[in-house]
Amino acid sequence: MSDVTGTARWSGPSAEMAGQRNARLACLIALVAVLVLCNLANYAAPDMNYGWDVRVNCAAVEAHVDGLDPYYVKNLKGTRFSYPYLPATLDAFRPLCAGGFLVDHRRGVFLAIAVLCSLLLPGIGRTRSLRDVALRGLYVLGAFVGFEWVLASGNFAILGGGLTAAALALLLRPVKPEAGHDRNDAPRVAGAALLGLVMSFKLVFCPVLAALYFLPLPRRRKLVLMTVAGLGFALPILVSVVFYPDLFSSWLLAITGGIPGQHSVQIEETNPSLLLWAQTIVDRVGLADSKPLVFAIYALAASALVLAPLGCSLLRAVRNNEGSLLGRLDRWLIDHPQAAMRITVLAMYGLYLCSPRLKEYAFFELAVYAAVLIVDLPAAALAAVLTIGVAVPTLVSITGVTIEGGFVQLAVALMCFWILLLDFRAEPERLEQKAVRP
């Protein structure tokens, strides 16, 4: 009787505290959702100043159809921006631009694709629930105001986000002990190829493919997936070289600034990346022309803020195993499949975050990676990533303070990365210990 009474005595306050914590978290989620919806509503009314990227892309497709070189801005109707994608994409994007449907209805189409991302994104060691889908959807739509920039600019990063979500759904399938044969890897092979294809849209993001090594699979199977991903990345480039040789030469000129008098990709181009942050530091100390110093600071920042903490967390996880470092890592990943899939996505997030050309709209794709991880967080960490990653940048945007040319998105994305990494370091085996539900 005393045991029962004692249990009741202690379970009462704990249950009450848990209920209060859940109520506060629910209120925070509701508040964040309202902020995100209000912010996105600003883009509901037609405005010819919005959607410039989709107009550029479809103008390039139309120029290609008309037999003009789409990499020369003078051949694109009504725009001063250049077409950034490989020549192989001109025919691939043709159905999207046919009849002007995408240009006229991009808001609805982009919103539908963003919602589809939340439906496609997998859980890690969890059964699918409405709560998880809603949280992923909220993060995809609101995190780092990346989707706001996609919606405003009409950028085709929306396609990258949708394909990334599909690739993750294929790659992060539950690992079954009896599934040791290669035929069971067919979905993962498709996911790796798809992820490689996504990286070919913007070549600077290709280091993300290295994160496939952290999947909880034997080394040979992981190397096969990485090879397939590399082939998926190279295929659009090879197709462009073989079937569009003249356009490929124009593309190289366009992205390297070889076509005078038009927009091109340069290190000086405004973007909230670690590279531009390094450039800003060098400018302020009066060494604006020192490119080696810029890249040195950039490499140091990426290592100190992202890569080294990630590597140290992995070393900490495998420190008690025996054998070579790589062997210990392989065994630990296989023995802890849920934690391995979590660190895989976290590594993708970190490598993407280190990109030298992280434009404002690219934070939408970054949010897709993060949305996989947030649903498994404890209440306090979840409240932190929702506040820092969604509420703060959304409030900044709602107040009318422009984030273009600043580092708000980068700062909040870095803080969310650290929260996710600290949670992993604290409880790397939480999902295995608590089975399906955390």
Side-chain angles (χ1 to χ4, degrees):
M1 183 68 179
S2 60
D3 291 342
V4 174
T5 305
T7 301
R9 183 183 301 118
W10 288 105
S11 63
S14 298
E16 183 178 353
M17 290 175 63
Q20 292 176 351
R21 183 176 64 248
N22 291 337
R24 289 194 296 269
L25 182 59
C27 290
L28 174 62
I29 293 172
L31 175 61
V32 171
V34 170
L35 289 174
V36 169
L37 292 175
C38 289
N39 195 38
L40 295 180
N42 294 332
Y43 301 95
D47 189 330
M48 291 306 294
N49 292 324
Y50 293 147
W52 53 89
D53 282 343
V54 71
R55 291 198 295 272
V56 169
N57 296 341
C58 289
V61 170
E62 292 173 5
H64 176 58
V65 172
D66 294 338
L68 301 174
D69 190 328
Y71 294 104
Y72 285 80
V73 172
K74 65 182 181 181
N75 294 329
L76 306 184
K77 299 176 182 178
T79 180
R80 59 184 179 86
F81 294 109
S82 59
Y83 183 69
Y85 300 106
L86 285 163
T89 60
L90 289 164
D91 288 316
F93 291 161
R94 188 181 297 187
L96 298 175
C97 296
F101 177 81
L102 187 61
V103 174
D104 295 336
H105 302 281
R106 62 173 178 80
R107 292 176 180 84
V109 173
F110 281 27
L111 182 60
I113 295 176
V115 172
L116 182 62
C117 287
S118 63
L119 299 176
L120 287 174
L121 285 173
I124 298 178
R126 297 171 68 96
T127 55
R128 182 177 291 271
S129 70
L130 182 61
R131 176 256 191 193
D132 290 356
V133 172
L135 276 177
R136 292 189 194 107
L138 178 60
Y139 214 75
V140 165
L141 290 173
F144 324 132
V145 293
F147 181 65
E148 174 189 335
W149 273 93
V150 168
L151 195 61
S153 64
N155 194 274
F156 276 14
I158 190 70
L159 301 179
L163 294 175
T164 297
L168 292 175
L170 293 168
L171 287 167
L172 302 179
R173 295 168 58 83
V175 178
K176 299 179 181 179
E178 66 274 11
H181 300 292
D182 290 347
R183 65 176 179 270
N184 296 301
D185 274 346
R188 292 191 185 91
V189 169
L194 186 57
L195 188 64
L197 181 65
V198 173
M199 295 302 111
S200 72
F201 286 179
K202 295 291 178 67
L203 305 184
V204 292
F205 296 120
C206 65
V208 169
L209 300 178
L212 293 176
Y213 190 85
F214 299 125
L215 287 170
L217 300 170
R219 188 183 302 174
R220 184 181 67 83
R221 290 163 66 185
K222 292 188 292 188
L223 293 177
V224 168
L225 291 181
M226 294 174 71
T227 301
V228 170
L231 292 174
F233 173 77
L235 181 61
I237 302 174
L238 294 175
V239 169
S240 297
V241 171
V242 174
F243 295 101
Y244 307 84
D246 293 337
L247 290 179
F248 186 77
S249 298
S250 296
W251 174 76
L252 287 175
L253 288 173
I255 66 170
T256 57
I259 302 177
Q262 70 177 49
H263 170 266
S264 63
V265 178
Q266 299 289 339
I267 185 178
E268 291 84 6
E269 185 182 39
T270 299
N271 63 81
S273 68
L274 287 171
L275 179 59
L276 188 70
W277 178 72
Q279 177 72 65
T280 303
I281 292 175
V282 172
D283 289 345
R284 290 185 177 178
V285 297
L287 298 172
D289 295 330
S290 180
K291 295 294 177 62
L293 181 59
V294 170
F295 281 99
I297 295 176
Y298 162 60
L300 179 63
S303 299
L305 298 177
V306 178
L307 302 180
L310 185 65
C312 289
S313 297
L314 279 171
L315 290 175
R316 183 173 180 267
V318 304
R319 66 185 184 278
N320 294 326
N321 292 1
E322 297 180 354
S324 66
L325 178 59
L326 203 57
R328 281 185 287 162
L329 177 61
D330 288 339
R331 286 195 300 274
W332 185 86
L333 293 170
I334 292 175
D335 292 342
H336 305 88
Q338 315 300 342
M341 286 188 281
R342 190 170 182 82
I343 201 66
T344 298
V345 181
L346 190 56
M348 291 177 177
Y349 180 112
L351 290 168
Y352 195 99
L353 186 58
C354 291
S355 169
R357 191 172 182 268
L358 194 64
K359 297 287 287 183
E360 287 84 358
Y361 51 75
F363 283 86
F364 167 71
E365 292 184 79
L366 193 66
V368 170
Y369 292 112
V372 176
L373 303 173
I374 64 164
V375 296
D376 296 318
L377 292 175
L382 177 58
V385 297
L386 288 175
T387 301
I388 296 170
V390 184
V392 170
T394 301
L395 282 171
V396 170
S397 180
I398 288 176
T399 56
V401 178
T402 180
I403 62 173
E404 186 175 14
F407 299 100
V408 173
Q409 288 174 293
L410 180 64
V412 296
L414 278 170
M415 284 188 279
C416 288
F417 173 80
W418 294 332
I419 292 170
L420 292 166
L421 186 61
L422 286 172
D423 175 69
F424 172 81
R425 286 172 63 90
E427 301 179 272
E429 303 172 17
R430 183 178 66 240
L431 294 180
E432 276 83 10
Q433 292 171 346
K434 298 188 177 181
V436 175
R437 305 294 299 187

